[in-house]
Amino acid sequence: MNQNDDVILDVRDLKVHFPVRKGALGRSRATLKAVDGVSLQVRRGQTLGLVGESGCGKSTLARAILRLIPVTSGSVHFMGRDFLALNPADLRAARRDIQIVFQDPAGSLNPRHSIETIVGEGLAIHRIARGLDRRNRVARLLERVGLDPDAMTRYPHEFSGGQRQRIGIARALALEPKLIVCDEPVSALDVSVQAQIINLLTDLQAELGLSYLFIAHNLAVIEHISDRVDVMYLGRIVERAAADELYRDPRHPYTQALLSAVPEPDPHARNDRIILTGEVPSPTDPPNGCAFHPRCPLAVEQCRNVIPELISHRGCDQGHLAACHLADEMTPDRLVRSVGAPASTHPG
């Protein structure tokens, strides 16, 4: 495999399927395709935003990349090495360079451990520091994420949600990783605290040269931190572009619907909401053709029978890909007109 020097994470055709067992004997009756052939790349010093509705497979993909759950097929190359082929000893060593910040800052911190133990655990496991040296390192990490070093003697329940997430970030930084997977790190926080955490992650990236795989369901959050964005639906990537290009000229109707849901801070601005009908199909029984076609008002016969490829389209910038048969004709207002919903104006 040819590895581009500036690519730190290269995922190819990754699949994560789970058997669905039923009956008294627990026999496998179906297969849940949580991730179904995802390819993506994260470049050094940059942020790839991964966005989609809850249940589309984003977190499963993140855990599969980190080898926290089994992978059905595909490949993951991290810093030029086949991450899925590493033996236990090499995997433990490689995990110093790839860390994760979890969605729930309360659930991801052991309530029985002090902050010193939580943040310094990786230093102890990898035998990097001990005693006073480890304590000093923890103090510096807490300062780096905006917390008082005296916090190390306290316990997770004594902190707010935003402070607990800062502790989670400090833990991820402890081993000086090259890549951090941020699995919806701000979705459980208040909006004002979200901004603080996003600014902290941005500052740390500039200071330390970090790369991020940043997962979220909110495109407004993704916009402020990402260099490139991948849009995921029912276990597949349906659109990929540079962040500014995606927001300027979305080519997949699902992306357009997500963008229309971003709140408009100006009370006098027009907000053309795209209301999708129907439910997300079951990953145990995905529809034929394009997985989005049961909810898409633009769907034609081809959409119902042929799975669209993730390819470039007419008028798009280089690197802007969309898995939609109608992407060549798509304009930002076409889906709204097809739905037939009048543009709404929010009163001041």
Side-chain angles (χ1 to χ4, degrees):
M1 178 183 294
N2 294 324
Q3 290 287 332
N4 194 325
D5 289 340
D6 68 346
V7 173
I8 191 170
L9 177 69
D10 190 4
V11 178
R12 300 289 179 92
D13 198 26
L14 196 70
K15 296 182 180 181
V16 182
H17 296 174
F18 300 103
V20 179
R21 303 188 185 280
K22 298 180 181 179
L25 300 178
R27 293 176 177 172
S28 178
R29 301 293 186 184
T31 300
L32 190 154
K33 299 179 180 180
V35 179
D36 197 25
V38 168
S39 299
L40 58 79
Q41 290 184 334
V42 180
R43 301 186 182 279
R44 295 180 187 274
Q46 294 189 0
T47 300
L48 174 66
L50 182 64
V51 67
E53 291 173 290
S54 296
C56 73
K58 307 184 302 298
S59 294
T60 302
L61 174 62
R63 284 161 172 73
I65 289 172
L66 291 160
R67 284 185 61 176
L68 299 179
I69 59 175
V71 170
T72 303
S73 64
S75 67
V76 176
H77 281 75
F78 175 60
M79 297 179 64
R81 302 176 69 186
D82 186 347
F83 201 66
L84 301 182
L86 296 179
N87 61 43
D90 289 340
L91 177 61
R92 171 176 284 198
R95 279 189 168 145
R96 288 185 56 176
D97 292 318
I98 181 169
Q99 292 289 303
I100 184 170
V101 176
F102 293 97
Q103 175 178 357
D104 182 3
S108 65
L109 304 179
N110 191 325
R112 297 177 181 269
H113 288 175
S114 69
I115 302 310
E116 179 181 358
T117 301
I118 290 171
V119 176
E121 184 176 18
L123 298 172
I125 290 174
H126 290 273
R127 300 178 182 179
I128 295 172
R130 57 188 301 179
L132 182 60
D133 182 23
R134 187 168 70 199
R135 186 178 180 86
N136 290 336
R137 284 177 181 242
V138 170
R140 290 195 296 270
L141 285 165
L142 292 176
E143 284 186 309
R144 176 167 274 172
V145 298
L147 294 174
D148 192 318
D150 291 340
M152 70 171 70
T153 61
R154 295 158 62 189
Y155 289 80
H157 72 272
E158 301 179 64
F159 296 89
S160 67
Q163 290 173 325
R164 284 194 290 259
Q165 197 58 290
R166 290 175 185 268
I167 293 166
I169 294 170
R171 177 176 58 184
L173 291 174
L175 299 178
E176 300 180 353
K178 305 297 189 298
L179 171 68
I180 297 180
V181 177
C182 302
D183 185 11
E184 303 220 33
V186 298
S187 64
L189 306 177
D190 293 338
V191 173
S192 60
V193 180
Q194 287 183 14
Q196 295 172 15
I197 297 300
I198 293 296
N199 289 337
L200 172 62
L201 290 170
T202 302
D203 292 342
L204 289 170
Q205 184 175 50
E207 178 185 351
L208 304 175
L210 295 169
S211 303
Y212 294 137
L213 173 58
F214 192 97
I215 297 170
H217 60 263
N218 187 341
L219 271 166
V221 171
I222 288 286
E223 180 181 12
H224 294 290
I225 194 169
S226 301
D227 297 286
R228 298 189 60 79
V229 178
D230 280 9
V231 181
M232 193 169 181
Y233 185 79
L234 206 66
R236 294 174 177 265
I237 302 299
V238 297
E239 188 160 10
R240 166 175 297 148
D244 55 351
E245 167 73 2
L246 185 83
Y247 285 81
R248 182 182 64 82
D249 185 20
R251 288 302 182 99
H252 197 285
Y254 177 61
T255 309
Q256 291 187 343
L258 290 179
L259 284 170
S260 79
V262 174
E264 172 56 60
D266 183 356
H268 302 290
R270 296 172 63 86
N271 187 16
D272 296 333
R273 290 297 304 273
I274 300 171
I275 309 298
L276 296 175
T277 59
E279 299 292 332
V280 179
S282 170
T284 60
D285 186 24
N288 294 328
C290 174
F292 187 62
H293 88 256
R295 305 173 71 194
C296 180
L298 299 179
V300 297
E301 192 62 27
Q302 185 182 19
C303 304
R304 300 180 181 93
N305 296 293
V306 180
I307 298 175
E309 296 182 30
L310 187 66
I311 57 176
S312 60
H313 294 273
R314 184 174 62 243
C316 291
D317 286 354
Q318 185 177 10
H320 187 166
L321 312 177
C324 177
H325 296 301
L326 306 175
D328 283 340
E329 310 164 23
M330 199 68 66
T331 60
D333 64 338
R334 181 176 178 187
L335 184 54
V336 177
R337 291 203 305 267
S338 298
V339 171
S344 60
T345 302
H346 294 287

